[in-house]
Amino acid sequence: MHVTLLHNPRAGGGEPGRDELVRVLMDAGHAVTYQSTREDGLEHALEAPGDVVLVAGGDGIVPKAAAQLICRGFSIALLPLGTANKVAEALLLSDSIQDGVP
């Protein structure tokens, strides 16, 4: 599976970092395209994101990613790394990078 990883490197105090997130996904057999939410290129990364978009960060990036992908048939997965994580809390999601990686 091809995963486009949108990551806020400041969320969660910077942990887990880019390298750990990418490693866990690759160890699970996924191809990964990484995009920091703190750098230019978010819109470009979401033009053809592959099979699933994994949003690793807080509540700020979730609606940005969803707005880019709405009605386009792409799946979004959330890894709540922010402070409040209200979206993930409402969906009863875990904050562990090991949980739910097939």
Coordinates of all heavy atoms in Angstrom, one line a residue:
M1 N 0.8 -1.2 0.0 CA 0.0 0.0 0.0 C 0.9 1.2 0.0 O 1.9 1.3 0.7 CB -0.9 0.0 1.3 CG -1.8 1.2 1.4 SD -2.9 1.2 2.8 CE -3.8 -0.3 2.6
H2 N 0.5 2.2 -0.7 CA 1.2 3.5 -0.8 C 0.6 4.5 0.2 O -0.6 4.8 0.1 CB 1.2 4.1 -2.2 CG 1.9 5.4 -2.2 ND1 1.5 6.5 -3.0 CD2 3.0 5.9 -1.6 CE1 2.3 7.5 -2.8 NE2 3.2 7.2 -2.0
V3 N 1.4 4.9 1.2 CA 0.9 5.9 2.2 C 1.5 7.2 2.0 O 2.7 7.3 1.9 CB 1.2 5.3 3.6 CG1 0.8 6.3 4.7 CG2 0.6 4.0 3.9
T4 N 0.7 8.2 2.0 CA 1.2 9.6 2.0 C 1.1 10.1 3.4 O 0.0 10.1 4.0 CB 0.4 10.5 1.1 OG1 0.6 10.1 -0.3 CG2 0.9 12.0 1.2
L5 N 2.2 10.3 4.1 CA 2.3 10.7 5.5 C 2.4 12.2 5.6 O 3.4 12.8 5.1 CB 3.5 10.0 6.1 CG 3.9 10.4 7.5 CD1 2.7 10.2 8.5 CD2 5.2 9.7 8.0
L6 N 1.4 12.8 6.1 CA 1.4 14.3 6.4 C 1.7 14.4 7.9 O 1.0 13.9 8.7 CB 0.1 14.9 6.1 CG -0.5 14.8 4.7 CD1 -1.8 15.5 4.6 CD2 0.5 15.3 3.7
H7 N 2.8 15.0 8.2 CA 3.4 15.0 9.6 C 3.7 16.4 10.1 O 4.4 17.2 9.4 CB 4.6 14.2 9.6 CG 5.3 14.2 10.9 ND1 6.7 14.4 11.1 CD2 4.9 13.9 12.2 CE1 7.0 14.3 12.3 NE2 5.9 14.0 13.1
N8 N 3.1 16.8 11.2 CA 3.5 18.0 11.9 C 4.6 17.7 12.8 O 4.4 17.1 13.9 CB 2.3 18.6 12.7 CG 2.7 19.9 13.4 OD1 3.9 20.2 13.5 ND2 1.7 20.6 13.9
P9 N 5.9 18.0 12.5 CA 7.0 17.6 13.3 C 7.1 18.3 14.7 O 7.9 17.9 15.5 CB 8.2 18.0 12.4 CG 7.7 19.0 11.5 CD 6.3 18.8 11.3
R10 N 6.3 19.3 14.9 CA 6.2 20.0 16.2 C 5.2 19.3 17.1 O 5.3 19.5 18.3 CB 5.9 21.4 16.0 CG 7.0 22.2 15.3 CD 6.7 23.7 15.3 NE 7.6 24.4 14.5 CZ 7.4 25.6 14.0 NH1 6.3 26.3 14.4 NH2 8.3 26.2 13.3
A11 N 4.3 18.6 16.6 CA 3.2 18.0 17.4 C 3.8 16.9 18.3 O 4.8 16.2 18.0 CB 2.2 17.3 16.5
G12 N 3.3 16.8 19.5 CA 3.7 15.8 20.5 C 5.1 16.1 20.9 O 5.8 15.1 21.3
G13 N 5.6 17.3 20.9 CA 6.9 17.6 21.3 C 8.0 17.1 20.4 O 9.1 16.9 20.7
G14 N 7.5 16.8 19.1 CA 8.5 16.3 18.1 C 8.7 14.8 18.1 O 9.5 14.3 17.4
E15 N 8.0 14.1 19.0 CA 8.1 12.6 19.1 C 6.8 12.0 18.8 O 5.8 12.4 19.4 CB 8.7 12.2 20.4 CG 10.1 12.6 20.7 CD 11.1 12.0 19.7 OE1 10.8 10.8 19.3 OE2 12.0 12.7 19.3
P16 N 6.7 10.9 18.1 CA 7.7 10.3 17.3 C 8.1 11.3 16.1 O 7.3 12.0 15.6 CB 7.1 9.0 16.8 CG 5.7 9.3 16.8 CD 5.4 10.3 17.9
G17 N 9.3 11.1 15.7 CA 9.8 12.0 14.6 C 9.6 11.3 13.2 O 9.1 10.2 13.1
R18 N 10.0 12.1 12.2 CA 9.9 11.6 10.8 C 10.5 10.2 10.6 O 9.8 9.4 10.1 CB 10.6 12.6 9.9 CG 10.7 12.2 8.5 CD 11.5 13.1 7.6 NE 11.6 12.6 6.3 CZ 11.8 13.4 5.2 NH1 12.0 14.7 5.4 NH2 11.8 12.9 4.0
D19 N 11.7 10.0 11.0 CA 12.4 8.8 10.8 C 11.6 7.6 11.4 O 11.5 6.6 10.8 CB 13.8 8.8 11.3 CG 14.7 9.8 10.5 OD1 14.3 10.2 9.4 OD2 15.7 10.2 11.0
E20 N 11.2 7.8 12.6 CA 10.5 6.7 13.3 C 9.1 6.4 12.6 O 8.8 5.2 12.4 CB 10.2 7.0 14.8 CG 9.6 5.8 15.5 CD 9.4 6.1 17.0 OE1 9.8 7.1 17.5 OE2 8.9 5.1 17.7
L21 N 8.4 7.4 12.3 CA 7.1 7.2 11.6 C 7.3 6.5 10.3 O 6.6 5.5 10.0 CB 6.4 8.5 11.4 CG 5.9 9.2 12.6 CD1 5.5 10.7 12.3 CD2 4.7 8.5 13.3
V22 N 8.2 6.9 9.5 CA 8.5 6.3 8.2 C 8.9 4.9 8.3 O 8.5 4.0 7.6 CB 9.5 7.2 7.3 CG1 9.9 6.4 6.1 CG2 8.9 8.5 7.0
R23 N 9.8 4.6 9.3 CA 10.3 3.3 9.5 C 9.2 2.3 9.9 O 9.1 1.2 9.4 CB 11.4 3.3 10.6 CG 12.0 1.9 10.9 CD 12.9 1.9 12.2 NE 12.3 2.5 13.3 CZ 11.4 1.9 14.1 NH1 10.9 0.7 13.8 NH2 10.9 2.5 15.2
V24 N 8.3 2.7 10.8 CA 7.2 1.8 11.2 C 6.3 1.5 10.0 O 6.0 0.3 9.8 CB 6.4 2.5 12.4 CG1 5.1 1.8 12.6 CG2 7.2 2.5 13.6
L25 N 6.0 2.5 9.2 CA 5.2 2.2 8.0 C 5.9 1.3 7.0 O 5.3 0.4 6.5 CB 4.8 3.5 7.4 CG 3.8 4.4 8.2 CD1 3.7 5.8 7.6 CD2 2.5 3.7 8.2
M26 N 7.2 1.6 6.8 CA 8.0 0.7 5.8 C 8.2 -0.7 6.4 O 8.1 -1.6 5.6 CB 9.3 1.4 5.5 CG 9.1 2.7 4.7 SD 10.6 3.5 4.2 CE 11.3 2.4 3.0
D27 N 8.4 -0.8 7.7 CA 8.5 -2.1 8.3 C 7.2 -3.0 8.1 O 7.3 -4.2 8.1 CB 8.9 -2.0 9.8 CG 10.3 -1.6 10.0 OD1 11.1 -1.6 9.0 OD2 10.7 -1.4 11.2
A28 N 6.1 -2.3 8.0 CA 4.8 -2.9 7.8 C 4.6 -3.2 6.3 O 3.5 -3.7 6.0 CB 3.7 -2.1 8.4
G29 N 5.5 -2.9 5.5 CA 5.4 -3.2 4.1 C 4.9 -2.1 3.2 O 4.5 -2.4 2.0
H30 N 4.7 -0.9 3.7 CA 4.1 0.2 2.9 C 5.2 1.0 2.2 O 6.3 1.2 2.8 CB 3.3 1.1 3.8 CG 2.2 0.3 4.6 ND1 1.1 -0.3 3.9 CD2 2.0 0.1 5.9 CE1 0.4 -0.9 4.8 NE2 0.9 -0.7 6.0
A31 N 4.8 1.5 1.1 CA 5.6 2.6 0.4 C 5.2 3.9 1.0 O 4.0 4.1 1.3 CB 5.4 2.6 -1.1
V32 N 6.1 4.8 1.3 CA 5.8 6.0 2.0 C 6.3 7.3 1.3 O 7.4 7.3 0.8 CB 6.4 6.0 3.4 CG1 6.1 7.3 4.2 CG2 6.0 4.8 4.2
T33 N 5.4 8.2 1.1 CA 5.7 9.6 0.7 C 5.5 10.5 1.9 O 4.4 10.5 2.4 CB 4.8 10.0 -0.5 OG1 5.0 9.1 -1.6 CG2 5.2 11.4 -0.9
Y34 N 6.6 11.2 2.3 CA 6.5 12.0 3.5 C 6.4 13.5 3.1 O 7.0 14.0 2.1 CB 7.8 11.9 4.3 CG 7.9 12.8 5.5 CD1 7.4 12.3 6.7 CD2 8.4 14.1 5.4 CE1 7.4 13.2 7.8 CE2 8.4 14.9 6.5 CZ 8.0 14.4 7.7 OH 8.0 15.2 8.8
Q35 N 5.5 14.2 3.8 CA 5.3 15.6 3.6 C 5.2 16.3 5.0 O 4.2 16.0 5.7 CB 4.1 15.9 2.8 CG 3.8 17.4 2.6 CD 4.9 18.2 2.0 OE1 5.4 17.8 0.9 NE2 5.4 19.3 2.6
S36 N 6.1 17.1 5.3 CA 6.0 17.9 6.6 C 4.9 19.0 6.4 O 4.8 19.6 5.3 CB 7.3 18.6 6.9 OG 7.1 19.5 8.0
T37 N 4.0 19.2 7.4 CA 3.0 20.2 7.3 C 3.6 21.6 7.6 O 2.9 22.6 7.5 CB 1.9 19.9 8.3 OG1 2.4 20.0 9.7 CG2 1.2 18.6 8.1
R38 N 4.9 21.6 8.0 CA 5.6 22.9 8.2 C 6.4 23.4 7.0 O 7.0 24.4 7.1 CB 6.5 22.7 9.4 CG 5.9 22.4 10.7 CD 5.1 23.5 11.2 NE 4.4 23.2 12.4 CZ 3.7 24.1 13.1 NH1 3.6 25.4 12.7 NH2 3.1 23.8 14.2
E39 N 6.3 22.6 5.9 CA 7.0 23.0 4.7 C 6.0 23.1 3.6 O 5.0 22.6 3.6 CB 8.1 21.9 4.4 CG 9.1 21.8 5.4 CD 10.1 20.6 5.1 OE1 10.0 20.0 4.1 OE2 10.9 20.4 6.0
D40 N 6.4 23.9 2.5 CA 5.6 24.0 1.3 C 5.5 22.6 0.7 O 6.3 21.8 0.8 CB 6.3 25.0 0.3 CG 6.2 26.4 0.8 OD1 5.4 26.7 1.7 OD2 7.1 27.2 0.3
G41 N 4.3 22.4 0.0 CA 4.2 21.2 -0.8 C 3.0 20.4 -0.3 O 2.7 19.3 -0.9
L42 N 2.2 20.8 0.7 CA 1.1 20.0 1.1 C 0.1 19.8 0.0 O -0.4 18.7 -0.2 CB 0.4 20.7 2.3 CG -0.8 20.0 2.9 CD1 -0.4 18.7 3.5 CD2 -1.5 20.9 3.9
E43 N -0.3 20.8 -0.7 CA -1.3 20.7 -1.8 C -0.8 19.8 -2.9 O -1.5 18.9 -3.4 CB -1.6 22.1 -2.4 CG -2.4 23.0 -1.5 CD -1.5 23.7 -0.4 OE1 -0.3 23.7 -0.6 OE2 -2.1 24.2 0.6
H44 N 0.5 19.9 -3.2 CA 1.1 19.0 -4.2 C 1.1 17.5 -3.8 O 0.8 16.6 -4.5 CB 2.5 19.4 -4.5 CG 3.2 18.6 -5.5 ND1 2.9 18.6 -6.9 CD2 4.2 17.7 -5.4 CE1 3.6 17.7 -7.5 NE2 4.5 17.1 -6.6
A45 N 1.4 17.3 -2.5 CA 1.4 15.9 -2.0 C 0.1 15.3 -2.0 O -0.1 14.1 -2.1 CB 2.0 15.9 -0.5
L46 N -1.0 16.1 -1.9 CA -2.3 15.6 -1.9 C -3.0 15.5 -3.3 O -4.1 15.1 -3.4 CB -3.2 16.4 -1.0 CG -2.8 16.3 0.5 CD1 -3.7 17.2 1.3 CD2 -2.9 14.9 1.0
E47 N -2.3 15.9 -4.4 CA -2.8 15.9 -5.7 C -3.1 14.4 -6.1 O -4.1 14.1 -6.7 CB -1.9 16.5 -6.7 CG -1.9 18.1 -6.6 CD -0.9 18.7 -7.5 OE1 -0.2 18.0 -8.3 OE2 -0.8 20.0 -7.5
A48 N -2.1 13.5 -5.8 CA -2.3 12.1 -6.1 C -1.6 11.3 -5.0 O -0.5 10.8 -5.1 CB -1.6 11.8 -7.5
P49 N -2.3 11.2 -3.9 CA -1.7 10.7 -2.6 C -1.5 9.2 -2.5 O -1.0 8.8 -1.5 CB -2.6 11.2 -1.6 CG -4.0 11.3 -2.2 CD -3.7 11.7 -3.6
G50 N -1.9 8.4 -3.5 CA -1.8 7.0 -3.3 C -3.0 6.4 -2.7 O -4.1 6.9 -2.8
D51 N -2.8 5.3 -1.9 CA -3.9 4.6 -1.3 C -4.5 5.2 -0.1 O -5.8 5.1 0.1 CB -3.4 3.2 -0.9 CG -2.9 2.4 -2.1 OD1 -3.6 2.3 -3.2 OD2 -1.7 2.0 -2.1
V52 N -3.7 5.8 0.8 CA -4.3 6.4 2.0 C -3.4 7.5 2.4 O -2.2 7.6 2.2 CB -4.3 5.3 3.2 CG1 -2.9 4.8 3.6 CG2 -5.1 5.8 4.4
V53 N -4.0 8.5 3.1 CA -3.3 9.7 3.7 C -3.3 9.5 5.2 O -4.3 9.4 5.8 CB -3.9 11.0 3.3 CG1 -3.2 12.2 4.0 CG2 -3.9 11.2 1.8
L54 N -2.1 9.4 5.8 CA -2.0 9.3 7.2 C -1.6 10.7 7.7 O -0.6 11.2 7.4 CB -0.9 8.3 7.6 CG -0.6 8.2 9.1 CD1 -1.8 7.9 9.9 CD2 0.5 7.1 9.3
V55 N -2.5 11.2 8.5 CA -2.3 12.6 9.1 C -1.7 12.4 10.5 O -2.5 11.9 11.4 CB -3.6 13.4 9.1 CG1 -3.3 14.8 9.7 CG2 -4.1 13.5 7.7
A56 N -0.5 12.7 10.7 CA 0.2 12.6 12.0 C 0.4 14.0 12.6 O 1.3 14.7 12.2 CB 1.5 11.8 11.9
G57 N -0.5 14.4 13.5 CA -0.4 15.7 14.1 C -1.6 16.0 14.9 O -2.2 15.0 15.4
G58 N -2.0 17.2 15.0 CA -3.1 17.6 15.9 C -4.3 18.0 15.1 O -4.4 17.8 13.8
D59 N -5.2 18.7 15.7 CA -6.5 19.1 15.1 C -6.3 20.1 14.0 O -7.2 20.2 13.2 CB -7.4 19.7 16.2 CG -7.8 18.6 17.2 OD1 -7.9 17.4 16.8 OD2 -8.1 19.0 18.4
G60 N -5.2 20.8 14.0 CA -5.0 21.8 12.9 C -4.9 21.3 11.5 O -5.4 21.8 10.5
I61 N -4.2 20.1 11.4 CA -3.9 19.6 10.0 C -5.0 18.7 9.5 O -5.2 18.6 8.3 CB -2.6 18.8 10.0 CG1 -2.2 18.5 8.6 CG2 -2.6 17.6 10.9 CD1 -2.1 19.6 7.6
V62 N -5.8 18.1 10.4 CA -6.9 17.2 10.0 C -7.9 17.9 9.0 O -8.1 17.4 7.9 CB -7.6 16.6 11.2 CG1 -8.8 15.8 10.7 CG2 -6.7 15.7 12.0
P63 N -8.4 19.1 9.4 CA -9.4 19.7 8.4 C -8.7 20.2 7.1 O -9.4 20.2 6.1 CB -10.0 20.9 9.2 CG -9.1 21.1 10.4 CD -8.4 19.8 10.6
K64 N -7.4 20.5 7.2 CA -6.7 20.9 6.0 C -6.6 19.8 5.0 O -6.9 19.9 3.8 CB -5.4 21.5 6.3 CG -5.4 22.8 7.0 CD -4.0 23.3 7.3 CE -4.0 24.6 8.1 NZ -2.6 25.0 8.5
A65 N -6.3 18.6 5.5 CA -6.1 17.4 4.7 C -7.5 17.0 4.2 O -7.7 16.7 3.0 CB -5.5 16.3 5.4
A66 N -8.5 17.0 5.1 CA -9.8 16.6 4.7 C -10.4 17.5 3.6 O -11.0 17.0 2.6 CB -10.7 16.5 5.9
A67 N -10.2 18.8 3.7 CA -10.7 19.7 2.7 C -10.1 19.5 1.3 O -10.8 19.6 0.3 CB -10.4 21.1 3.2
Q68 N -8.8 19.0 1.3 CA -8.2 18.8 0.0 C -8.7 17.5 -0.6 O -8.6 17.3 -1.8 CB -6.6 18.6 0.2 CG -6.0 19.9 0.6 CD -5.8 20.9 -0.5 OE1 -5.6 20.4 -1.7 NE2 -6.0 22.1 -0.3
L69 N -9.1 16.5 0.2 CA -9.5 15.2 -0.3 C -10.9 14.9 -0.3 O -11.3 13.9 -0.9 CB -8.8 14.1 0.7 CG -7.3 14.2 0.7 CD1 -6.7 13.3 1.7 CD2 -6.7 13.8 -0.7
I70 N -11.8 15.8 0.2 CA -13.2 15.5 0.3 C -13.8 15.2 -1.1 O -13.4 15.9 -2.1 CB -13.9 16.7 0.9 CG1 -15.3 16.3 1.4 CG2 -14.0 17.9 0.1 CD1 -16.0 17.2 2.4
C71 N -14.6 14.2 -1.2 CA -15.3 13.8 -2.4 C -14.3 13.3 -3.5 O -14.7 13.2 -4.7 CB -16.1 14.9 -3.0 SG -17.5 15.4 -1.9
R72 N -13.1 12.9 -3.1 CA -12.2 12.4 -4.1 C -11.9 10.9 -4.0 O -11.1 10.4 -4.7 CB -10.9 13.2 -4.1 CG -11.0 14.6 -4.5 CD -9.8 15.5 -4.5 NE -8.7 14.8 -5.1 CZ -7.4 15.0 -4.8 NH1 -7.1 15.8 -3.8 NH2 -6.4 14.3 -5.4
G73 N -12.5 10.3 -3.0 CA -12.4 8.9 -2.8 C -11.1 8.4 -2.2 O -10.8 7.2 -2.3
F74 N -10.4 9.2 -1.5 CA -9.2 8.8 -0.8 C -9.5 8.6 0.7 O -10.3 9.3 1.3 CB -8.0 9.9 -0.9 CG -7.5 10.0 -2.3 CD1 -7.9 11.1 -3.1 CD2 -6.7 9.1 -2.9 CE1 -7.4 11.3 -4.4 CE2 -6.2 9.2 -4.2 CZ -6.6 10.4 -4.9
S75 N -8.8 7.6 1.3 CA -9.0 7.3 2.7 C -8.0 8.2 3.5 O -6.9 8.5 3.1 CB -8.7 5.9 3.0 OG -9.6 5.1 2.3
I76 N -8.5 8.6 4.7 CA -7.6 9.4 5.6 C -7.6 8.6 6.9 O -8.6 8.1 7.5 CB -8.2 10.8 5.9 CG1 -8.3 11.6 4.6 CG2 -7.4 11.5 6.9 CD1 -9.0 12.9 4.8
A77 N -6.3 8.4 7.4 CA -6.1 7.8 8.7 C -5.5 8.9 9.6 O -4.7 9.7 9.1 CB -5.2 6.6 8.6
L78 N -5.8 8.8 10.9 CA -5.3 9.9 11.8 C -4.4 9.2 12.9 O -4.7 8.2 13.4 CB -6.5 10.5 12.5 CG -7.6 11.2 11.7 CD1 -8.6 11.8 12.6 CD2 -7.0 12.2 10.7
L79 N -3.3 9.9 13.1 CA -2.4 9.5 14.2 C -2.3 10.8 15.1 O -1.6 11.7 14.8 CB -1.0 9.1 13.7 CG 0.0 8.7 14.8 CD1 -0.6 7.6 15.7 CD2 1.3 8.3 14.2
P80 N -3.1 10.8 16.2 CA -3.2 12.0 17.0 C -1.9 12.3 17.8 O -1.6 11.5 18.7 CB -4.4 11.7 17.9 CG -4.5 10.2 17.9 CD -4.0 9.7 16.6
L81 N -1.2 13.3 17.4 CA 0.1 13.6 18.1 C 0.0 15.0 18.7 O 1.0 15.4 19.3 CB 1.2 13.6 17.1 CG 1.5 12.2 16.4 CD1 2.7 12.4 15.5 CD2 1.8 11.2 17.5
G82 N -1.1 15.7 18.6 CA -1.2 17.1 19.0 C -1.4 17.2 20.5 O -1.3 16.2 21.3
T83 N -1.9 18.4 20.9 CA -2.1 18.7 22.3 C -3.5 18.2 22.8 O -3.7 17.5 23.7 CB -1.9 20.2 22.6 OG1 -0.6 20.5 22.2 CG2 -2.1 20.5 24.1
A84 N -4.5 18.7 22.0 CA -5.9 18.4 22.4 C -6.4 17.2 21.7 O -7.1 16.3 22.3 CB -6.8 19.6 22.1
N85 N -6.2 17.0 20.4 CA -6.6 15.9 19.6 C -8.1 15.6 19.7 O -8.6 14.5 19.9 CB -5.9 14.6 20.0 CG -4.4 14.8 19.8 OD1 -4.0 15.2 18.7 ND2 -3.6 14.4 20.8
K86 N -8.9 16.7 19.7 CA -10.4 16.6 19.8 C -11.0 15.7 18.7 O -11.9 15.0 18.9 CB -11.0 18.0 19.9 CG -10.6 18.7 21.1 CD -11.0 18.0 22.4 CE -10.7 18.7 23.6 NZ -11.0 18.0 24.9
V87 N -10.5 15.8 17.5 CA -11.0 15.1 16.4 C -10.8 13.6 16.7 O -11.7 12.8 16.6 CB -10.4 15.5 15.0 CG1 -10.8 14.5 13.9 CG2 -10.7 16.9 14.7
A88 N -9.6 13.2 17.0 CA -9.3 11.8 17.3 C -10.0 11.3 18.5 O -10.5 10.2 18.6 CB -7.8 11.7 17.5
E89 N -10.1 12.2 19.5 CA -10.9 11.8 20.7 C -12.3 11.5 20.4 O -12.9 10.5 20.9 CB -10.8 12.9 21.7 CG -11.5 12.6 23.1 CD -11.4 13.8 24.0 OE1 -10.2 14.2 24.4 OE2 -12.4 14.4 24.4
A90 N -12.9 12.3 19.6 CA -14.3 12.0 19.2 C -14.5 10.7 18.4 O -15.5 10.1 18.5 CB -14.8 13.2 18.3
L91 N -13.4 10.3 17.7 CA -13.4 9.1 16.9 C -12.9 7.9 17.7 O -12.8 6.8 17.1 CB -12.6 9.3 15.6 CG -13.2 10.3 14.7 CD1 -12.2 10.6 13.5 CD2 -14.6 9.9 14.1
L92 N -12.5 8.1 18.9 CA -11.9 7.1 19.8 C -10.7 6.4 19.2 O -10.5 5.2 19.3 CB -13.0 6.0 20.1 CG -14.3 6.5 20.7 CD1 -15.3 5.4 20.8 CD2 -14.1 7.1 22.1
L93 N -9.8 7.3 18.7 CA -8.5 6.8 18.1 C -7.4 6.7 19.1 O -7.3 7.5 20.0 CB -8.1 7.6 16.9 CG -9.1 7.7 15.8 CD1 -8.6 8.6 14.7 CD2 -9.4 6.3 15.2
S94 N -6.5 5.8 18.9 CA -5.3 5.7 19.7 C -4.2 6.6 19.3 O -4.2 7.1 18.1 CB -4.7 4.2 19.6 OG -3.5 4.1 20.2
D95 N -3.2 6.9 20.2 CA -2.1 7.8 19.8 C -0.8 7.0 19.7 O 0.3 7.5 19.7 CB -1.9 8.9 20.8 CG -1.6 8.4 22.2 OD1 -1.6 7.2 22.5 OD2 -1.3 9.3 23.1
S96 N -0.9 5.7 19.6 CA 0.3 4.8 19.4 C 0.5 4.5 17.9 O -0.4 4.1 17.2 CB 0.1 3.5 20.2 OG 1.1 2.6 19.8
I97 N 1.8 4.7 17.5 CA 2.1 4.4 16.1 C 2.2 2.9 15.9 O 2.2 2.5 14.7 CB 3.5 5.1 15.7 CG1 4.7 4.5 16.4 CG2 3.4 6.6 15.7 CD1 6.0 4.9 15.9
Q98 N 2.2 2.1 16.9 CA 2.2 0.6 16.7 C 0.7 0.1 16.6 O 0.5 -0.9 16.0 CB 2.8 -0.1 17.9 CG 4.3 0.3 18.1 CD 5.1 -0.1 16.9 OE1 4.9 -1.0 16.2 NE2 6.2 0.7 16.7
D99 N -0.3 0.8 17.2 CA -1.7 0.4 17.1 C -2.2 0.6 15.7 O -2.1 1.6 15.1 CB -2.5 1.1 18.1 CG -2.3 0.8 19.5 OD1 -1.5 -0.2 19.7 OD2 -2.8 1.5 20.4
G100 N -2.8 -0.5 15.1 CA -3.5 -0.3 13.9 C -2.7 -0.3 12.6 O -3.2 -0.1 11.6
V101 N -1.3 -0.5 12.7 CA -0.6 -0.6 11.5 C -0.6 -2.1 11.0 O -0.1 -3.0 11.7 CB 0.9 -0.2 11.7 CG1 1.7 -0.4 10.4 CG2 1.0 1.2 12.2
P102 N -1.3 -2.3 9.9 CA -1.5 -3.7 9.4 C -0.2 -4.3 8.9 O 0.7 -3.6 8.5 CB -2.6 -3.5 8.3 CG -2.6 -2.1 7.9 CD -2.0 -1.3 9.0

